[in-house]
Amino acid sequence: MEDLGLDFASDDTQAGYRLHRVELYNWGTFDRHVWRLSPQGSNCLVTGDIGSGKSTLVDAITTLLVPAQRITYNKAAGAEARERSLRSYVLGYYKSERGDAGLSARPVPLRDHNSYSVILAHFHNAGFDRHVTLAQVFWMTDTRGQPDRFYIVADKAMSIEAHFSGFGTDLKDLRKRLRQTEHVELHTSFPTYGAALRRRLGIASEQALDLFNQTVSMKSVGNLTEFVREHMLQPADTAARIDALIRHFDDLNRAHEAVLKAKKQIAALQPIVADADTHAERSLETAQLRQCRDGLSAWFAHLKIGLLDDRLGELGRETARLDEKITGLKRSRAGQREREQELRQAIAENGGDRLERIRAEIRRRQAEKTERRQQAERYRELAERLAFPVAADADRFRSNREAIEVAREQDEGRQAEVQNERTDQEVDFRQLRQRRTDIDTELTSLKARRSNLPAAMLGLREKLCT
């Protein structure tokens, strides 16, 4: 884990965001065209004679990273007072000369109020191949005041020649063009600009930039302890933090108890959750099976439609075949009817009417014969039931008839006796039923009262009382 880096750069010296290029236009004595310094992410040593512009370059980089109220210009050269200012850099003061009266000296600028200045720094992260460009544009609107400016933060590589020139004479056109450029943010105040650059360069707080401002041109340190305490350590209000801890201890304790309670509740609810999950799975499975079941009728209907279509096809073919057969039979019947007519006509011409009457008589006699045979069969069945001999001739038939008359008279006498006996039985039955009803009534009355007196005696008692 100790060898695991947070950057993908092959060379550790190039890890993080490194300064690749600094460009100056109309900044101090760097006048008229774009001046460049290209460290390409490596350490860079700037040397030169006095007044060659070393401190001017350092002040430009400081201006890009530090708020104006915290900057002491030309501090790298050991200046104690504010001998340089943002106005002097924008106008390009390079010497002082006395006026016609010879009383005081005034600075001589390289530029007037119609010019503008640009400082730009391009940073590159080789590990992630990310680019960040910081730029500031200055111009004069007041002959005695400090210059106005706006700030640029871009997530790509920019240059002064490509992006801050060729816009005409009005800086509003430059602003408009920069706002329309992709991956470019334009700010009008340093706080929002500073937050944007710190977020992109991974700087945690403003104190880091303040430390940079103190050390970038530091030549001597009076009290190292005070310097580290003031510029390198985060301020800490211990008393306030202790008070906050004391105030929040009870909240933390209640939160801990709430967490323990929640854990117990979760542990108690786990079986319910498991059962709910199981119920949800079973419900889903049940719903799927019900859908399958509901779809069976449609599926079987589809199969039935196919079978019915096949059956209809077969019936259609069978109907066509039978229609053809019927047509042939009709033709054959028509021919046979013609033949029948011819034969009838031939029979009639040769005495066929008499034969037809004979046939009709034969049919009538056969029907009469069948009817009489059925009656004889019925007579034989009834005689066998009554144990009479079969009537093979007229004498036997008359004997059976006389015997039937005698038996009928005997049955009628017996029927009268049975009817009289039945009447007597019905009278006895009604008497018994009335007696049963009286007994049931007496039993019901005995169950409903405490005494054993008969119901008649009780009725008599009630009448006497009345």
Side-chain angles (χ1 to χ4, degrees), residues 72-297:
T72 301
Y73 287 111
N74 202 28
K75 189 176 181 180
E80 296 296 335
R82 291 182 175 272
E83 62 182 35
R84 294 186 187 180
S85 65
L86 183 62
R87 178 185 176 85
S88 66
Y89 279 128
V90 172
L91 292 177
Y93 292 158
Y94 69 99
K95 68 177 182 177
S96 299
E97 61 181 16
R98 295 184 179 275
D100 296 336
L103 298 178
S104 61
R106 63 182 182 84
V108 178
L110 293 173
R111 296 173 291 278
D112 56 15
H113 293 77
N114 296 322
S115 62
Y116 71 98
S117 302
V118 182
I119 55 177
L120 181 145
H122 168 223
F123 298 87
H124 180 238
N125 189 327
F128 295 102
D129 193 22
R130 298 287 182 85
H131 299 269
V132 174
T133 301
L134 306 178
Q136 295 184 18
V137 179
F138 307 89
W139 71 96
M140 299 299 301
T141 58
D142 189 354
T143 57
R144 294 186 179 182
Q146 292 296 322
D148 291 337
R149 59 179 163 177
F150 61 84
Y151 309 85
I152 298 295
V153 179
D155 295 322
K156 65 178 183 178
M158 300 180 69
S159 65
I160 295 178
E161 292 182 356
H163 300 90
F164 294 88
S165 62
F167 59 88
T169 59
D170 194 351
L171 286 174
K172 293 181 180 179
D173 296 333
L174 176 60
R175 286 187 178 185
K176 183 177 180 181
R177 186 174 70 181
L178 290 173
R179 283 193 178 97
Q180 296 175 353
T181 304
E182 190 176 6
H183 303 300
V184 174
E185 294 182 7
L186 190 146
H187 302 273
T188 58
S189 63
F190 192 90
T192 58
Y193 162 79
L197 74 89
R198 290 196 305 273
R199 183 172 63 253
R200 285 169 171 78
L201 297 180
I203 300 174
S205 64
E206 296 182 5
Q207 190 175 10
L209 295 178
D210 191 17
L211 179 62
F212 167 77
N213 182 37
Q214 295 295 327
T215 57
V216 65
S217 56
M218 182 177 64
K219 291 189 175 181
S220 63
V221 177
N223 189 329
L224 182 60
T225 301
E226 293 295 331
F227 180 84
V228 172
R229 181 180 298 168
E230 181 179 357
H231 299 288
M232 300 184 68
L233 296 178
Q234 294 285 349
D237 190 355
T238 307
R241 294 185 63 185
I242 292 174
D243 293 339
L245 288 174
I246 294 174
R247 286 194 306 270
H248 293 297
F249 175 77
D250 189 34
D251 296 337
L252 292 175
N253 190 27
R254 287 196 299 268
H256 177 68
E257 293 176 355
V259 169
L260 294 179
K261 182 179 179 181
K263 287 183 178 179
K264 292 180 180 178
Q265 292 175 349
I266 291 173
L269 292 175
Q270 284 297 331
I272 299 177
V273 174
D275 293 340
D277 294 338
T278 304
H279 179 268
E281 294 176 359
R282 297 293 185 271
S283 299
L284 179 60
E285 184 179 0
T286 303
Q288 293 176 350
L289 293 175
R290 285 179 178 173
Q291 291 178 356
C292 295
R293 184 193 64 186
D294 296 338
L296 285 176
S297 58

Side-chain angles (χ1 to χ4, degrees), residues 24 29-30 46 48-59 84:
L24 308 176
T29 56
F30 296 101
V46 180
D49 295 334
I50 297 174
S52 61
K54 302 184 297 297
S55 298
T56 302
L57 177 63
V58 172
D59 287 344
R84 294 186 187 180

Side-chain angles (χ1 to χ4, degrees), residues 337-351:
R337 283 182 177 177
E338 293 178 357
R339 177 61 178 167
E340 180 184 3
Q341 293 294 332
E342 293 177 355
L343 291 174
R344 288 181 182 276
Q345 185 176 0
I347 292 171
E349 291 176 353
N350 294 282

